């Protein structure tokens, strides 16, 4: 892996990341754990309207949404929302840990050392608090941008034009919400891309890791941005599918299958992004 | 590593299996099954002419199987009614009515279900343009299940039936009969929810026959006699107040009639949650009265 990548070669770097993942199955193990956690949560949420889980969850659903969402097929309309609500704690407390572990494994592969996944977990555990804080900061930043865009959407909603420029602005702003959300995620991932590698590989504390991150970003922002953007574009078909399904289908379960598919695609995207970013980080360090 | 992945897969599979088995014949599974059969039935309804006969029988059997698999589900009666509708769609009215009659018999102790089945029989006669039997079914509902939701609506449905046929004398007579019928319920079920519902329906009859004064006083009676029921029914309260105001101002040109109703209401219910709204209403009515505003109905 050493000396194969120059910082200008984004596409070859993504390819290298994919090859690294394919050649080193152990790298997929932390991501498999994230898939397991996500599927476990989805399974629980799917069975909420049914006995015995309904005994506990029915009052919650009835209070915060409506009793009708405890019945088929409307429960499948609520399922993606519930799953979305479960994401922040999973992302901050669990996914971040496994992503950090995968970053450590990449450096072990790079150093051609014997890889012990348990050692990787132990190493990451010592830096866990910094990883969680870093994830929390990036999560809060995402929320901040989402809220900002939410204000724009609210303003667009009150545009009354039915034709002309303002009408098209309204259509673009409202219809483009899922894509803007994706772009916000890409942007925030980019500006915090090197925080995990700095914490895990250089054993830096949170603020010092953020400092290193911005130092690296100042020299290679666009490379990093495209490193994150290119794999993430594979999520666009899922967004297109997700937004084009009405509930009144002959198979409402399609929403569930779409969620499962999106879990796998999102994890694959994360795996490629963080592998590419870590390789880039290691290469830059070697160059320095 | 493989061992851990295998354990994870087993946990997911085991959890799925356990939760599926625990609720194998539960309400959710019943809802899902019935929804899927109903979707097939809807496909037939959209294109009954081109549906082969065997398809009707197949869907009827699916509804029957549903009833057998979920004997205690509250969806069973709906499944039975839908199975009858399959034959209505097929045009086999005789068989459909046999099914509906069996529902009336099986659910004689559950009036809302039994009356729905009688209404389905009436509907099947309607599809055949057998008006005599349609009216016979209306009478049957009034005789056997007058206090069910459908039963309470039936006198108004009879009036609408005549209206749809352009029989104005029939319409007028049915509204008179409806008012008599509802007044009987008021007398026999004093201070119950049936009394409350009957008063609302009497008001509807007066509005339909343009007896504006009677309509307003009946709505005033509801406010007077059921302030507690209206405490928890914001929509109803809102509708009653708006109707009283509209009829009094636009039709009767009388500001004093609603004022009298509202003042009595406030006097008898000083702590009612609608107190502030009604006080504002009274101020508005006073102002309109003072300014001698006349509002005409849009032609």
């Amino acid at each position: 892996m050493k000396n194969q990548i120059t910082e200008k070669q984004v596409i070859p770097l993504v390819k290298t990341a994919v090859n690294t993942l394919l050649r080193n199955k152990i790298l997929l193990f932390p991501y498999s754990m994230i898939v397991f956690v996500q599927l476990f949560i989805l399974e629980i949420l799917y069975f909420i309207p049914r006995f015995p889980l309904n005994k506990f969850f029915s009052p919650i659903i009835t209070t915060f949404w409506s009793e009708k969402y405890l019945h088929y097929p409307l429960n499948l309309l609520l399922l993606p929302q519930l799953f979305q609500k479960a994401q922040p704690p999973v992302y901050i407390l669990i996914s971040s840990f496994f992503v950090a572990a995968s970053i450590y494994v990449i450096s072990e592969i790079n150093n051609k050392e014997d890889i012990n996944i348990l050692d990787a977990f132990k190493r990451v555990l010592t830096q866990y608090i910094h990883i969680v804080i870093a994830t929390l900061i990036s999560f809060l930043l995402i929320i901040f941008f989402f809220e900002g865009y939410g204000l724009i959407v609210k303003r667009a909603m009150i545009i009354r034009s039915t034709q002309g420029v303002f009408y098209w602005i309204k259509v673009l702003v409202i219809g483009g919400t899922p894509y803007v959300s994706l772009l916000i995620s890409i942007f925030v991932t980019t500006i915090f891309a090197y925080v995990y590698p700095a914490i895990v590989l250089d054993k830096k504390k949170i603020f010092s890791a953020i400092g290193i991150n911005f130092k690296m970003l100042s020299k290679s922002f666009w490379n990093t941005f495209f490193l994150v953007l290119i794999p993430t574009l594979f999520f666009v078909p899922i967004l297109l599918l997700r937004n084009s399904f009405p509930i009144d289908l002959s198979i409402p379960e399609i929403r569930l299958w779409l969620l499962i598919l999106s879990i796998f695609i999102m994890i694959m995207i994360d795996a490629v992004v963080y592998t590419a970013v870590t390789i880039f980080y290691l290469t830059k360090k070697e160059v320095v | 590593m493989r061992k851990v992945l295998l354990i994870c897969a087993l946990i997911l599979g085991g959890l799925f299996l356990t939760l599926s088995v625990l609720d194998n014949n539960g309400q959710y599974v019943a809802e899902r099954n019935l929804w899927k059969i109903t979707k097939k039935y809807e496909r037939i309804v959209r294109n009954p002419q081109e549906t082969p006969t065997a398809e009707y029988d197949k869907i009827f059997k699916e509804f029957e199987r549903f009833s057998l698999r979920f004997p205690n589900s509250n969806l069973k009666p709906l499944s039975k009614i839908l199975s009858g509708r399959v034959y209505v769609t097929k045009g086999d009215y005789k068989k459909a009515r046999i099914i509906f009659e069996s529902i009336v018999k099986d659910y004689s102790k559950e009036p809302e279900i039994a009356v729905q089945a009688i209404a389905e029989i009436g509907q099947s006669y309607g599809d055949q343009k057998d008006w005599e039997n349609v009216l016979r079914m209306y009478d049957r509902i009034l005789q056997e299940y007058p206090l069910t939701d459908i039963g309470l609506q039936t006198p108004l449905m009879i009036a609408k039936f005549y209206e749809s046929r352009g029989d104005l004398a029939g319409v007028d007579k049915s509204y008179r009969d409806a008012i008599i019928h509802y007044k009987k319920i008021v007398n026999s079920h004093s201070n119950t929810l049936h009394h409350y519902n009957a008063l609302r329906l009497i008001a509807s009859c007066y509005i339909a026959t343009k007896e504006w004064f009677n309509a307003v006083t009946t709505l005033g009676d509801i406010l007077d006699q059921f302030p507690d029921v209206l405490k928890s029914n914001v929509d109803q309260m809102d509708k009653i107040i708006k109707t009283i105001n509209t009829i009094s101002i636009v039709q009767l040109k009388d500001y004093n009639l609603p004022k009298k109703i509202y003042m009595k209401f406030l006097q008898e219910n000083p702590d009612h949650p609608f107190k502030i709204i009604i006080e504002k209403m009274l101020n508005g009515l006073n102002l309109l009265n003072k300014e001698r505003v006349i509002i005409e109905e849009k032609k």
Side-chain angles (χ1 to χ4, degrees):
Chain A
M1 201 156 62
K2 277 182 186 174
N3 304 325
Q4 286 175 354
I5 308 126
T6 67
E7 63 177 282
K8 298 279 178 198
Q9 294 171 304
V10 174
I11 300 276
L13 191 53
V14 173
K15 276 186 188 167
T16 309
V18 173
N19 286 334
T20 309
L21 283 163
L22 291 177
R23 277 194 216 121
N24 303 280
K25 299 278 185 294
I26 195 158
L27 249 180
L28 294 173
F29 182 73
Y31 293 104
S32 310
M33 290 293 103
I34 302 175
V35 170
F36 166 70
V37 173
Q38 299 277 33
L39 289 179
F40 186 84
I41 290 166
L42 187 60
E43 213 168 287
I44 298 290
L45 296 176
Y46 173 70
F47 280 98
I48 276 180
R50 299 168 66 165
F51 177 82
L53 297 185
N54 61 357
K55 298 279 167 210
F56 177 76
F57 286 105
S58 288
I60 299 171
I61 302 291
T62 311
T63 309
F64 291 103
W65 287 276
S66 161
E67 199 265 339
K68 67 183 181 186
Y69 290 112
L70 290 166
H71 302 282
Y72 186 88
L74 285 178
N75 69 307
L76 294 169
L77 198 67
L78 185 67
L79 188 63
Q81 272 190 56
L82 291 176
F83 188 66
Q84 202 59 42
K85 295 226 176 286
Q87 288 309 297
V90 175
Y91 173 64
I92 294 165
L93 299 172
I94 302 170
S95 302
S96 61
F97 172 79
F98 288 113
V99 169
S102 81
I103 288 170
Y104 182 76
V105 174
I106 295 166
S107 82
E108 296 285 282
I109 293 167
N110 193 44
N111 296 334
K112 294 194 167 61
E113 286 172 14
D114 283 340
I115 301 151
N116 186 331
I117 197 76
L118 273 180
D119 285 346
F121 288 156
K122 275 180 201 162
R123 164 73 179 264
V124 170
L125 212 55
T126 60
Q127 297 290 94
Y128 182 63
I129 188 73
H130 300 289
I131 291 161
V132 168
I133 295 170
T135 317
L136 187 65
I137 292 169
S138 67
F139 174 73
L140 290 175
L141 204 63
I142 287 176
I143 296 290
F144 174 76
F145 283 120
F146 279 3
E147 290 293 319
Y149 190 71
L151 292 176
I152 297 171
V153 171
K154 266 188 194 164
R155 179 64 192 84
M157 295 270 241
I158 53 175
I159 292 176
R160 275 186 262 169
S161 310
T162 50
Q163 54 188 357
V165 180
F166 285 108
Y167 170 73
W168 285 108
I169 290 174
K170 179 182 178 175
V171 170
L172 279 175
V173 168
I174 297 169
T177 304
Y179 306 98
V180 174
S181 303
L182 190 68
L183 209 62
I184 289 171
S185 303
I186 291 169
F187 177 71
V188 174
T189 308
T190 304
I191 62 170
F192 282 95
Y194 303 107
V195 175
Y196 284 167
I199 292 173
V200 177
L201 305 181
D202 294 334
K203 289 190 170 180
K204 297 288 177 194
K205 290 182 178 166
I206 177 69
F207 293 111
S208 145
I210 290 174
I212 292 172
N213 171 69
F214 284 125
K215 212 169 157 187
M216 279 197 78
L217 264 186
S218 65
K219 289 172 193 161
S220 51
F221 176 81
W222 289 109
N223 280 334
T224 313
F225 179 75
F226 285 109
L227 269 185
V228 180
L229 175 79
I230 292 165
T232 311
L233 286 179
F234 283 90
F235 198 68
V236 173
I238 292 286
L239 285 181
L240 285 169
L241 277 171
R242 216 189 254 178
N243 295 321
S244 57
F245 278 114
I247 187 66
D248 193 25
L249 286 167
S250 46
I251 315 162
E253 281 80 6
I254 200 102
R255 285 173 182 272
L256 174 68
W257 291 113
L258 217 58
L259 267 181
I260 295 171
L261 185 68
S262 66
I263 289 173
F264 280 98
I265 291 185
M266 210 57 230
I267 295 298
M268 280 194 281
I269 290 169
D270 275 355
V272 175
V273 166
Y274 284 107
T275 307
V277 163
T278 310
I279 293 171
F280 190 69
Y281 181 85
L282 291 168
T283 313
K284 290 276 279 187
K285 259 179 64 180
E286 282 163 13
V287 170
V288 172
Chain B
M1 199 170 78
R2 278 189 189 162
K3 221 175 177 179
V4 177
L5 290 177
L6 189 71
I7 291 168
C8 289
L10 282 174
I11 290 171
L12 289 176
L15 184 70
F16 187 86
L17 217 68
T18 312
L19 291 173
S20 299
V21 169
L22 279 172
D23 192 46
N24 192 28
N25 281 329
Q27 175 70 4
Y28 180 82
V29 183
E31 282 170 7
R32 194 177 58 192
N33 277 25
L34 189 62
W35 192 86
K36 286 186 174 162
I37 307 169
T38 309
K39 281 281 142 190
K40 287 183 197 168
Y41 168 61
E42 282 172 3
R43 274 201 291 274
I44 290 184
V45 172
R46 277 198 292 272
N47 206 354
Q49 258 82 36
E50 286 172 29
T51 307
T53 315
E55 193 64 23
Y56 288 102
D57 297 332
K58 200 178 141 197
I59 291 185
F60 174 76
K61 276 181 190 153
E62 284 192 41
F63 279 125
E64 287 288 283
R65 266 201 300 274
F66 176 89
S67 300
L68 289 174
R69 185 177 167 192
F70 304 99
N72 301 318
S73 167
N74 59 1
L75 293 170
K76 188 182 164 185
L78 177 61
S79 155
K80 288 256 174 198
I81 282 170
L82 286 168
S83 70
R85 281 188 197 166
V86 171
Y87 283 107
V88 171
T89 314
K90 190 183 175 189
D92 190 345
Y93 297 106
K94 205 176 159 191
K95 197 156 185 182
R97 286 196 277 267
I98 291 171
I99 294 165
F100 293 134
E101 283 295 355
S102 75
I103 299 170
V104 178
K105 201 177 146 200
D106 293 346
Y107 292 93
S108 57
K109 285 179 185 164
E110 291 177 60
E112 293 295 346
I113 297 167
V115 77
Q116 176 67 43
I118 299 174
E120 296 285 339
I121 296 171
Q123 181 71 47
S124 76
Y125 282 124
D127 286 358
Q128 288 184 291
K129 301 195 183 347
D130 181 351
W131 309 125
E132 205 177 301
N133 273 316
V134 170
L135 286 172
R136 200 167 58 83
M137 286 305 124
Y138 281 140
D139 279 344
R140 186 175 166 193
I141 290 172
L142 288 179
Q143 293 301 317
E144 294 176 22
Y145 301 102
L147 298 175
T148 56
D149 286 346
I150 292 177
L152 280 170
Q153 289 293 332
T154 298
L156 291 178
M157 280 152 73
I158 294 172
K160 286 199 177 107
F161 167 79
Y162 282 113
E163 214 172 286
S164 68
R165 307 189 72 208
D167 181 348
L168 294 181
V171 174
D172 198 51
K173 186 183 177 297
S174 348
Y175 278 122
R176 304 269 140 250
D177 290 347
I179 292 168
I180 293 168
H181 175 80
Y182 292 134
K183 281 188 175 169
K184 273 185 195 163
I185 293 176
V186 167
N187 290 331
S188 56
H189 295 83
S190 192
N191 294 324
T192 63
L193 213 55
H194 295 313
H195 177 179
Y196 168 77
N197 285 326
L199 280 179
R200 278 177 46 223
L201 292 162
I202 290 171
S204 297
C205 292
Y206 283 135
I207 291 169
T209 53
K210 299 187 177 176
E211 291 177 54
W212 305 120
F213 181 80
N214 286 338
V216 173
T217 48
T218 308
L219 291 170
D221 287 345
I222 297 177
L223 288 183
D224 188 34
Q225 293 168 37
F226 294 96
D228 291 337
V229 173
L230 293 167
K231 263 181 193 171
S232 56
N233 203 334
V234 179
D235 287 346
Q236 280 296 331
M237 183 76 176
D238 189 54
K239 206 173 161 189
I240 289 170
I241 292 173
K242 278 180 182 158
T243 314
I244 289 176
N245 291 346
T246 311
I247 296 175
S248 302
I249 297 168
V250 180
Q251 304 296 344
L252 297 170
K253 323 272 183 231
D254 182 351
Y255 292 101
N256 289 323
L257 182 61
K259 270 169 63 183
K260 229 162 81 182
I261 292 170
Y262 296 144
M263 278 159 73
K264 191 180 176 203
F265 180 82
L266 288 178
Q267 211 172 12
E268 286 170 11
N269 306 282
D271 300 320
H272 200 276
F274 268 74
K275 185 189 167 194
I276 296 170
I277 292 172
I278 289 179
E279 277 174 349
K280 277 184 185 167
M281 202 86 68
L282 272 172
N283 290 337
L285 287 168
N286 280 329
L287 191 71
L288 288 171
N289 197 17
K290 201 175 144 193
E291 301 285 329
R292 295 179 189 281
V293 176
I294 293 174
I295 300 169
E296 293 293 344
E297 191 180 6
K298 234 183 184 177
K299 297 286 177 197

